[in-house]
Amino acid sequence: MVLNCNEHKKIITILKREPNEIEEQLFTALWSEHCSYKSSKIWLQRLYSKNKFVLQGPGENAGAIDIGNDDVLVFKIESHNHPSQIAPYHGAATGVGGILRDIFTMGAKPIALMNILYFGNTEKPYMRNLINEVASGIGAYSNSFGVPNIGGKVIFDNCYNQNILVNVFAAGVTKREKLIRAKTTSQKFSIFYLGAKTGRDGIGGAATASASFTTKSNIPSNSSQIANPFFGRCLFEAFMEMQAKQCIQAATDMGAAGIAGAVSELGAKNTLGIDLYLDNIPILQKNLTAKELLLAETQERLLLVVYDNCENTATAIAKKWGLAFAKIGTTKKKPYLCVYYKKQQIANVPIYALTTQSPTYKLAAKKATYAKKQTHNLVSNNITNDILNLLSNFNKASKNWFYEQFDSYIQGNTIIHPGSDAALIKLEHSEKAIAFSTHANPRYCSADPRLGAMHLVAQCWRNISAIGCKALAVTNNLNFADPNQPEIMGQFISTIKGLNKACKSLNLPIVSGNVSFYNQTDKKTIKPSPTLVAVGLATNWQQTSANKKSNPGDYIFLLGKHGRHLDCSLYKAMQEINFLGKPPKVLLKLERKHGIFVQSLIKTGLANSCLSLGSGGLIAALARFAISEKLGLDIHLPVVKDPLPILFAEDQARYIFSAKKDNVTAIMTKAKTKKIKLHTLGQVKGNKFNIAKICNIDIKELELAYYNPRKFEQWH
């Protein structure tokens, strides 16, 4: 990634001279897409990002929301796509390390991790190796650091054959008065380096992440960062100890563009200039050049602003944890970044020119193409086989084979583990619990980017509602190909519009996130792959579905209409039809109404187990219900000439739930009062998955299809 001619001319205009080599490198890194968001920021500014609960929106290390009683939830999702394609183990591991630093640098203790991963054809040995390496990297860091990995999503599609995507989410909690930002009220302060010593790894990482691959790409071996979870944990402990002793005024992570990026961000946010002394930087290897010192993306490093009377205390804490600690810069009123090396000034540039005044592009965009509704012409020769094949499909089957490699029990607060609609973490010393749900659907988003993006929001809303929690806010990771291609930019803009409409309607502000462009090799592009993670709250975890189980004799209900929309469904995709058609409509008012109703049923104890409907339709939800509860179902659906839409359609705003016989009258009365459409489907009964006149399958056969270990055991 290099500066284009117009950007170079702009630098000359800003400096009123030619930049020297170091200054050129600073602009190249900080004006890269990865750092500056130059092709996306005019659109990102339109996203719904504020309400009364938001304490920190986009622009800091992570977003933060008020969850009551001065408790604050800090969370964010980030991508590590290019590094994970180049070096999957360290790419995935440093993705985990980086997102954890974003959380604890804001003064929050990390309580949860999730991974949203996109892989290609699993029949290819190299792809199996990538999957194993990514899993190993995630596990090595998260398990060693000591944060529960509570789930996520694993998606398979041939469009990721040459560009896998690794998106990592983390969340933490702190008290309102302990929230730390990069901005401080001081007008003059010193800047301190804390963490591992700087080496040569990660040179040019930001630039590499801002360019497409080609089959002839000559990527430097040191462009990928090296993970060190031991140092990461020590850094966390040292930081939290400094926070407890009230040493820290402000802090920021050293991520993309290394020290140069972190120092520039710190200066710009505090409207101050900075004198940076490279000779003071703790180094791992001798003879590091000025460029390497500035731009290396060595992991496990932070920039701190320490109170003047706390320098000795901070030094002692750093030494205790075996970390490097050094004063590497001071602030000044004149807003320039001046870099000194070997007692010489080697760079002198306006700090805003590197950051807030970086180029902004409104790239040409071709209106995204939307799939048209197709005529339903699907025929089934054997519905039982169709059901079993659906459950064993890579994009529907259990991902236990993946998530069992990570510790979801550590810290002892996980209530709902991977495999459910949403995960649930109990807050220490509190009855409150936090729900986490993630969703991605490149099948929908490629057919209709705007509608597909709305589906992501609606599905996360349903998933959190289905465990009895209220969704509060979201973070997103927007993965796309080359934005200079008008059709790709059209997809991106349509996605922004869809997210904005759905988030506004459901009052879910987007408080943090990430954009990852250039996910393509040669002309082979990924599908539009936006990822969403939503967080929710239960004021009392015992009023969620966590401790509610179904029992024989319980009635099974469908909340919402019977399905009609087979276009773009997983069932239709499994038929290998070229034109899948249009995703179903998103009914946002109905989503809100049904979600609130489900939450109330669970909170008041009227409903037991509950699942949201999504990919795979009603049949997938019923089968998952039977498998998770290890109970048979006796279901009676409307007798129709063509049962496929009722079974497999993916119409929205729908749930299934179970309830005791004694609660049926109360539920029906409540539904009638709220004008909610409910269907009684049958009962929990026996040990068979029985749908009258359609199928009668042993639960063990369902389990075998869903967990299907035979597909994965040969990989390990």
Side-chain angles (χ1 to χ4, degrees), residues 259-311:
I259 288 172
V263 166
S264 300
E265 179 185 340
L266 196 66
K269 285 184 177 177
N270 290 283
T271 62
L272 295 168
I274 290 177
D275 289 331
L276 177 64
Y277 301 96
L278 299 186
D279 297 298
N280 294 354
I281 294 173
I283 56 173
L284 184 64
Q285 297 141 323
K286 293 181 179 179
N287 303 318
L288 291 180
T289 65
K291 173 189 171 182
E292 290 169 335
L293 289 166
L294 275 169
L295 299 178
E297 295 180 9
T298 303
Q299 298 292 284
E300 333 306 346
R301 303 180 302 162
L302 303 177
L303 280 188
L304 304 182
V305 177
V306 175
Y307 287 105
D308 291 339
N309 61 346
C310 287
E311 185 175 340

Coordinates of all heavy atoms in Angstrom, one line a residue, residues 259-311:
I259 N 3.6 2.6 17.4 CA 3.8 3.8 18.3 C 3.3 5.0 17.5 O 2.7 5.9 18.1 CB 5.2 3.9 18.7 CG1 5.6 2.8 19.8 CG2 5.5 5.3 19.3 CD1 7.0 2.7 20.1
A260 N 3.6 5.1 16.2 CA 3.2 6.2 15.5 C 1.7 6.4 15.5 O 1.2 7.6 15.7 CB 3.6 6.1 14.0
G261 N 0.9 5.4 15.4 CA -0.5 5.5 15.4 C -1.0 5.9 16.8 O -1.9 6.7 16.9
A262 N -0.5 5.2 17.8 CA -1.0 5.5 19.2 C -0.6 6.9 19.6 O -1.5 7.6 20.2 CB -0.4 4.5 20.1
V263 N 0.6 7.4 19.3 CA 1.0 8.7 19.8 C 0.2 9.8 19.0 O -0.3 10.8 19.6 CB 2.5 8.9 19.5 CG1 2.9 10.4 19.6 CG2 3.3 8.1 20.5
S264 N 0.0 9.6 17.7 CA -0.8 10.5 16.9 C -2.3 10.6 17.5 O -2.8 11.7 17.6 CB -0.8 10.2 15.5 OG 0.5 10.1 15.0
E265 N -2.8 9.5 17.7 CA -4.2 9.4 18.3 C -4.3 10.1 19.6 O -5.2 10.9 19.9 CB -4.6 8.0 18.4 CG -6.0 7.8 19.0 CD -6.4 6.3 19.2 OE1 -5.7 5.5 18.6 OE2 -7.3 6.1 20.0
L266 N -3.3 9.9 20.5 CA -3.3 10.5 21.8 C -3.2 12.0 21.7 O -3.9 12.7 22.4 CB -2.2 9.9 22.6 CG -2.2 10.1 24.1 CD1 -3.4 9.4 24.8 CD2 -0.9 9.6 24.8
G267 N -2.3 12.5 20.8 CA -2.2 13.9 20.7 C -3.4 14.6 20.1 O -3.8 15.6 20.6
A268 N -4.0 14.0 19.1 CA -5.1 14.6 18.4 C -6.3 14.6 19.4 O -7.1 15.6 19.4 CB -5.5 13.8 17.2
K269 N -6.6 13.6 20.1 CA -7.7 13.6 21.0 C -7.6 14.6 22.2 O -8.6 15.0 22.7 CB -7.9 12.2 21.6 CG -8.5 11.2 20.6 CD -8.8 9.9 21.1 CE -9.5 9.0 20.1 NZ -9.8 7.6 20.5
N270 N -6.4 15.0 22.5 CA -6.1 15.9 23.5 C -5.8 17.3 23.0 O -5.4 18.2 23.8 CB -5.0 15.4 24.5 CG -5.5 14.2 25.3 OD1 -6.3 14.4 26.3 ND2 -5.1 13.0 24.9
T271 N -5.9 17.5 21.7 CA -5.6 18.8 21.0 C -4.2 19.3 21.4 O -4.1 20.5 21.7 CB -6.7 19.8 21.2 OG1 -6.8 20.1 22.6 CG2 -8.1 19.3 20.7
L272 N -3.3 18.4 21.4 CA -1.9 18.8 21.8 C -0.9 18.2 20.7 O -1.2 17.2 20.1 CB -1.6 18.3 23.1 CG -2.4 18.8 24.3 CD1 -2.1 18.0 25.6 CD2 -2.0 20.3 24.6
G273 N 0.2 18.8 20.7 CA 1.3 18.3 19.9 C 2.2 17.4 20.8 O 2.0 17.3 22.0
I274 N 3.1 16.6 20.2 CA 3.9 15.6 20.9 C 5.3 15.6 20.4 O 5.5 15.6 19.2 CB 3.3 14.2 20.8 CG1 2.0 14.1 21.6 CG2 4.3 13.2 21.3 CD1 1.3 12.8 21.5
D275 N 6.3 15.7 21.3 CA 7.7 15.4 21.0 C 7.9 13.9 21.4 O 7.7 13.5 22.6 CB 8.6 16.3 21.8 CG 8.6 17.7 21.3 OD1 8.3 17.9 20.1 OD2 8.8 18.6 22.2
L276 N 8.3 13.1 20.4 CA 8.5 11.7 20.6 C 10.0 11.4 20.5 O 10.6 11.7 19.5 CB 7.7 10.9 19.6 CG 7.8 9.4 19.5 CD1 7.3 8.8 20.8 CD2 7.1 8.8 18.4
Y277 N 10.5 10.6 21.5 CA 11.9 10.3 21.5 C 12.1 8.8 21.3 O 12.0 8.0 22.2 CB 12.5 10.8 22.9 CG 12.3 12.3 23.1 CD1 11.3 12.8 23.8 CD2 13.2 13.2 22.5 CE1 11.1 14.1 24.0 CE2 13.0 14.6 22.7 CZ 11.9 15.0 23.5 OH 11.8 16.4 23.6
L278 N 12.6 8.5 20.1 CA 12.7 7.1 19.7 C 13.8 6.4 20.5 O 13.7 5.2 20.7 CB 12.9 6.9 18.2 CG 11.8 7.4 17.3 CD1 12.1 7.1 15.9 CD2 10.4 6.9 17.7
D279 N 14.8 7.1 20.9 CA 15.9 6.5 21.7 C 15.5 5.9 23.0 O 16.2 5.1 23.6 CB 17.0 7.5 21.8 CG 17.6 7.9 20.5 OD1 18.2 7.1 19.8 OD2 17.5 9.1 20.2
N280 N 14.3 6.4 23.5 CA 13.9 6.0 24.8 C 13.0 4.7 24.8 O 12.6 4.1 25.8 CB 13.1 7.1 25.5 CG 13.9 8.3 25.9 OD1 15.1 8.3 25.7 ND2 13.3 9.3 26.3
I281 N 12.7 4.3 23.5 CA 11.8 3.1 23.4 C 12.5 1.8 23.8 O 13.6 1.6 23.3 CB 11.3 3.0 21.9 CG1 10.4 4.2 21.6 CG2 10.5 1.7 21.7 CD1 10.0 4.3 20.2
P282 N 12.0 1.0 24.7 CA 12.6 -0.2 25.0 C 12.6 -1.2 23.8 O 11.6 -1.4 23.2 CB 11.7 -0.8 26.1 CG 11.0 0.4 26.7 CD 10.8 1.3 25.5
I283 N 13.8 -1.7 23.5 CA 13.9 -2.5 22.3 C 14.3 -4.0 22.6 O 15.0 -4.3 23.5 CB 14.9 -1.9 21.3 CG1 16.3 -1.7 22.0 CG2 14.4 -0.6 20.8 CD1 17.4 -1.3 21.0
L284 N 13.8 -4.9 21.7 CA 14.1 -6.3 21.9 C 15.3 -6.7 21.1 O 16.0 -7.6 21.5 CB 12.8 -7.1 21.4 CG 12.9 -8.6 21.5 CD1 12.9 -9.0 23.0 CD2 11.6 -9.2 20.8
Q285 N 15.5 -6.0 19.9 CA 16.6 -6.3 19.1 C 17.5 -5.1 18.8 O 16.9 -3.9 18.9 CB 16.1 -6.8 17.7 CG 15.4 -8.1 17.8 CD 14.2 -8.2 16.9 OE1 13.5 -7.2 16.7 NE2 13.9 -9.4 16.4
K286 N 18.7 -5.2 18.6 CA 19.6 -4.1 18.4 C 19.4 -3.6 16.9 O 18.9 -4.3 16.1 CB 21.1 -4.5 18.6 CG 21.4 -4.8 20.0 CD 22.9 -5.2 20.2 CE 23.2 -5.5 21.6 NZ 24.7 -5.9 21.8
N287 N 19.9 -2.3 16.8 CA 19.9 -1.7 15.4 C 18.6 -1.6 14.7 O 18.5 -1.7 13.5 CB 20.9 -2.5 14.5 CG 22.3 -2.6 15.1 OD1 22.8 -1.7 15.6 ND2 22.9 -3.8 15.0
L288 N 17.5 -1.4 15.5 CA 16.2 -1.1 14.9 C 16.3 0.3 14.3 O 16.8 1.2 14.9 CB 15.1 -1.1 16.0 CG 14.7 -2.5 16.6 CD1 13.6 -2.3 17.6 CD2 14.3 -3.4 15.5
T289 N 15.8 0.4 13.1 CA 15.8 1.7 12.4 C 14.6 2.6 13.0 O 13.7 2.1 13.7 CB 15.6 1.5 10.9 OG1 14.3 1.0 10.7 CG2 16.6 0.6 10.3
A290 N 14.7 3.9 12.6 CA 13.6 4.8 13.1 C 12.3 4.3 12.5 O 11.3 4.4 13.3 CB 13.9 6.2 12.6
K291 N 12.2 3.9 11.3 CA 11.0 3.4 10.7 C 10.5 2.2 11.5 O 9.3 2.1 11.8 CB 11.2 3.0 9.2 CG 10.0 2.3 8.6 CD 10.3 1.7 7.3 CE 9.1 0.9 6.8 NZ 9.4 0.2 5.5
E292 N 11.3 1.3 11.9 CA 10.9 0.1 12.6 C 10.4 0.4 14.0 O 9.4 -0.1 14.5 CB 12.1 -0.9 12.7 CG 12.4 -1.6 11.4 CD 13.7 -2.3 11.4 OE1 14.6 -2.0 12.2 OE2 13.9 -3.2 10.5
L293 N 11.1 1.4 14.6 CA 10.6 1.8 16.0 C 9.3 2.5 15.9 O 8.4 2.3 16.8 CB 11.7 2.8 16.6 CG 13.0 2.2 17.0 CD1 14.0 3.3 17.2 CD2 12.8 1.3 18.2
L294 N 9.0 3.2 14.9 CA 7.8 4.0 14.8 C 6.6 3.0 14.4 O 5.5 3.2 14.9 CB 7.9 5.0 13.7 CG 8.5 6.4 14.1 CD1 8.8 7.2 12.9 CD2 7.5 7.1 15.0
L295 N 6.8 2.1 13.5 CA 5.7 1.4 12.8 C 5.6 -0.1 13.2 O 4.7 -0.7 12.8 CB 5.9 1.5 11.3 CG 5.8 3.0 10.8 CD1 6.0 3.0 9.3 CD2 4.5 3.6 11.2
A296 N 6.6 -0.6 13.9 CA 6.5 -2.0 14.3 C 5.2 -2.2 15.1 O 4.8 -1.3 15.9 CB 7.7 -2.4 15.2
E297 N 4.5 -3.3 14.9 CA 3.2 -3.6 15.6 C 3.4 -4.7 16.6 O 2.6 -5.6 16.8 CB 2.1 -3.9 14.6 CG 1.8 -2.7 13.8 CD 0.7 -2.9 12.7 OE1 0.0 -4.0 12.8 OE2 0.5 -2.1 11.9
T298 N 4.6 -4.7 17.3 CA 4.9 -5.6 18.4 C 3.7 -5.6 19.4 O 3.2 -4.5 19.7 CB 6.2 -5.2 19.1 OG1 7.2 -5.2 18.2 CG2 6.5 -6.2 20.2
Q299 N 3.3 -6.7 19.8 CA 2.1 -6.8 20.6 C 2.4 -6.6 22.1 O 3.5 -6.4 22.5 CB 1.5 -8.2 20.5 CG 1.0 -8.5 19.1 CD -0.2 -7.7 18.7 OE1 -1.3 -7.9 19.1 NE2 0.1 -6.7 17.8
E300 N 1.3 -6.5 22.9 CA 1.4 -6.4 24.3 C 2.0 -5.1 24.8 O 2.9 -5.0 25.7 CB 2.1 -7.6 25.0 CG 2.1 -8.9 24.3 CD 0.7 -9.4 23.9 OE1 -0.3 -8.9 24.4 OE2 0.6 -10.4 23.1
R301 N 1.6 -4.0 24.1 CA 2.2 -2.6 24.4 C 1.0 -1.6 24.6 O 0.1 -1.7 23.8 CB 3.2 -2.2 23.4 CG 4.3 -3.1 23.1 CD 5.2 -2.6 22.0 NE 4.5 -2.3 20.8 CZ 5.0 -1.5 19.8 NH1 6.2 -0.9 19.9 NH2 4.3 -1.4 18.7
L302 N 1.2 -0.7 25.5 CA 0.3 0.4 25.7 C 1.0 1.7 25.8 O 2.2 1.8 26.1 CB -0.5 0.2 27.0 CG -1.3 -1.1 27.2 CD1 -1.9 -1.1 28.6 CD2 -2.4 -1.2 26.1
L303 N 0.3 2.8 25.5 CA 0.7 4.2 25.9 C -0.1 4.7 27.0 O -1.3 4.5 27.0 CB 0.5 5.1 24.7 CG 1.5 5.1 23.6 CD1 1.2 6.3 22.6 CD2 3.0 5.2 24.1
L304 N 0.6 5.2 28.0 CA -0.1 5.7 29.2 C 0.2 7.2 29.5 O 1.3 7.7 29.1 CB 0.3 4.9 30.5 CG 0.2 3.4 30.5 CD1 0.7 2.9 31.8 CD2 -1.2 3.0 30.2
V305 N -0.7 7.9 30.1 CA -0.5 9.2 30.7 C -0.7 8.9 32.2 O -1.7 8.6 32.6 CB -1.5 10.2 30.2 CG1 -1.3 11.5 30.9 CG2 -1.4 10.4 28.7
V306 N 0.4 9.1 32.9 CA 0.5 8.8 34.3 C 0.5 10.1 35.1 O 1.2 11.1 34.7 CB 1.7 8.0 34.6 CG1 1.9 7.8 36.1 CG2 1.7 6.6 33.9
Y307 N -0.2 10.2 36.2 CA -0.2 11.4 37.0 C 1.2 11.7 37.5 O 2.0 10.7 37.8 CB -1.2 11.2 38.2 CG -2.6 11.3 37.8 CD1 -3.4 10.2 37.8 CD2 -3.2 12.5 37.5 CE1 -4.8 10.2 37.5 CE2 -4.5 12.6 37.2 CZ -5.3 11.5 37.2 OH -6.6 11.6 36.8
D308 N 1.6 12.9 37.6 CA 2.9 13.3 37.9 C 3.5 12.7 39.2 O 4.6 12.3 39.3 CB 3.0 14.9 38.0 CG 2.9 15.5 36.7 OD1 3.0 14.8 35.6 OD2 2.5 16.7 36.6
N309 N 2.6 12.6 40.2 CA 3.1 12.1 41.5 C 3.0 10.5 41.6 O 3.3 10.0 42.6 CB 2.2 12.6 42.6 CG 0.7 12.3 42.5 OD1 0.3 11.8 41.5 ND2 0.0 12.5 43.6
C310 N 2.7 9.9 40.4 CA 2.6 8.4 40.4 C 3.7 7.7 39.6 O 3.6 6.5 39.4 CB 1.2 8.0 39.9 SG -0.1 8.3 41.0
E311 N 4.6 8.5 39.1 CA 5.6 7.8 38.2 C 6.4 6.7 38.9 O 6.6 5.7 38.3 CB 6.6 8.9 37.6 CG 7.5 8.4 36.6 CD 8.4 9.4 35.9 OE1 8.0 10.6 36.0 OE2 9.4 9.1 35.4

